[in-house]
Amino acid sequence: MNRQSLTKKIISYLLFLLLVGAFSASAYADPPADKQIKGLIPAWSTQLAERTDAGHEYVPPQSSDLFPVRIGLRYGDTGDRRAALSIQRGTGFSIGSYDEANIFQPLYSFEETRLEILADSSWHLLLGESGMSPMDAMAMAEEVGGFVGHFSDGFRVLWGSFESLEEAESVISTTDLDGMIYLAPEGSVLVCGRRVLWYSERTDTLGIMAEGDVTPVTVFNGDRFSGSFAFPVVNGSILVVNVVDLEDYVKGVLPYEMSASWPLEALKAQAVCARSYVVFRRGEYGDYGFDVTADTRSQVYRGLTASSDRCNEAVDETRGQLLRYQGELCEAYYFSSDGGATENCVHVFGYSRAYLCGKLDPFEAAAHVSNNNWEITRSSQELQTWLAGKGYVLGPIAEVEASYSDFGNVTALHCTDAEGVSVMLNARKSYTGLGLDSCRFTVSGDGKSFRFSGRGWGHNCGMSQWGAYAMAKEYGYSYEDILGFYFTGATIG
């Protein structure tokens, strides 16, 4: 380590100690005096002062960790019997299928700039022999004015689309086509442009991708995306799944989970978290045909819509990097702000992770987070109604007490009515159910109403995004330092 680097680290360490002193004197949302925070200076501070650059040597990820990500853009209650794609940049669409590695394999190209995928419940005329090759099916479809059908046993040709058997029999009787009348089963789809282009009985493999000489851009529901699209059918509804390279997925997450104007090192820490999160969660929604959702149930993702050179740089500079603990992937939780301390995973999510340890956060305060102080009042009757909705039968609540962790965060709420009947709820149930912003708060009341006063925003487990901001901007720490602080014992590999 050179003299200049050593001097910088000594100065950083002294600033750290000064900040700890300022932090300990603050008065926000402090627990009662008999439950004060323990362990003011974490062991991490000494370890960081002694760190050398060699300690962050990059270890390539396993090839099995780098996979195309399937993101549910539309699913569940948002499902419909049709979906539309259009091209913002490109020359047309390819239709094909996905192999076992989720790699799109094109079969045919169509000069269409807009496609509709429709849930099919129609009658058709089925032509040709089973097991035709794709090229033979396409040639026959063009000859008879039909369209290719992809079946479990290969390709055939379909002609016409009719709402009833009677209509199908009536129209087909006027043609000289030799085939059998076929009713599309539930779960099959039609792909339409200016005409019907494709039928797929196998929606588990159907894929569509825009094509062109430059990177194509596809529009769905007002957002712009790269990659290809899959359309699994669940309970009669067509889901929409974007399939993209892992790094492209992270680029589509980063601008929505952290401001592109933030320090590059904070963005890089967020990129590693986002990448680690999706790899850890791979296949979580496998029953629906995708890995993660595009909303806050997983991570917010909107493709290229808010694409940022700065965010892309953060992703590129951390390409392939994942958080690991003793060689295993980390569940890389993050949240907006902790208000002064993170919390043990067991007190937030009900299970333990060795690298998700609660600790005092002496950095976040330097970010001066706006609107980080909050206060909410609930009446005794509101608390009674809320508890009743969870199956607890109590009278009007007369007393509310909080239990605190060693880090000053609430681990449980004890609610007691006038008759002395009491229930206890863990912190996550209490703060989410009551509409509180975090688990870092105090409670006061007069038996008629109760005031919850706190700081922070989010579940307080893992990385504070505002803490990452402060560490990078105010103290000059790298993304490795940020991740090393918030994920105890974790390494980048």
Side-chain angles (χ1 to χ4, degrees), residues 138-358:
M138 177 56 75
M140 183 176 183
E142 291 177 352
E143 180 182 346
V144 302
F147 49 95
V148 175
H150 189 189
F151 297 85
S152 298
D153 60 353
F155 296 86
R156 296 184 72 174
V157 174
L158 295 170
W159 184 88
S161 185
F162 311 101
E163 293 185 1
S164 67
L165 174 61
E166 292 75 17
E167 181 187 5
E169 290 176 333
S170 174
V171 174
I172 291 171
S173 65
T174 65
T175 74
D176 57 0
L177 296 175
D178 183 19
M180 60 178 288
I181 295 177
Y182 168 81
L183 174 62
E186 183 177 352
S188 56
V189 297
L190 292 174
V191 180
C192 305
R194 286 160 289 188
R195 58 185 177 85
V196 179
L197 303 172
W198 192 270
Y199 166 85
S200 181
E201 183 186 62
R202 302 187 58 190
T203 57
D204 59 324
T205 61
L206 171 67
I208 294 175
M209 176 183 278
E211 56 183 18
D213 294 334
V214 294
T215 303
V217 177
T218 305
V219 177
F220 169 72
N221 199 28
D223 287 320
R224 301 180 299 116
F225 299 93
S226 60
S228 59
F229 291 82
F231 302 92
V233 178
V234 177
N235 297 327
S237 291
I238 297 174
L239 311 189
V240 179
V241 177
N242 185 208
V243 185
V244 295
D245 173 79
L246 175 60
E247 301 304 318
D248 288 337
Y249 167 75
V250 180
K251 289 177 179 179
V253 167
L254 200 52
Y256 293 98
E257 294 291 358
M258 183 173 280
S259 171
S261 66
W262 281 21
L264 183 61
E265 294 303 306
L267 289 167
K268 287 158 73 172
Q270 180 66 62
V272 175
C273 283
R275 187 182 297 108
S276 301
Y277 181 91
V278 71
V279 174
F280 187 93
R281 297 280 181 172
R282 182 180 186 179
E284 184 174 15
Y285 294 87
D287 290 346
Y288 296 94
F290 52 87
D291 296 305
V292 290
T293 69
D295 53 30
T296 54
R297 288 180 176 87
S298 298
Q299 300 181 115
V300 178
Y301 166 82
R302 292 179 62 184
L304 301 169
T305 305
S307 181
S308 157
D309 290 342
R310 191 170 179 79
C311 288
N312 291 348
E313 180 183 359
V315 177
D316 289 339
E317 291 191 8
T318 62
R319 185 176 184 84
Q321 295 183 18
L322 301 168
L323 271 178
R324 296 185 185 277
Y325 180 80
Q326 296 182 355
E328 298 296 323
L329 285 169
C330 289
E331 192 169 14
Y333 283 121
Y334 56 89
F335 56 94
S336 179
S337 65
D338 56 41
T342 63
E343 189 49 65
N344 291 329
C345 185
V346 68
H347 290 149
V348 178
F349 296 111
Y351 55 87
S352 295
R353 298 276 188 231
Y355 49 86
L356 293 175
C357 300

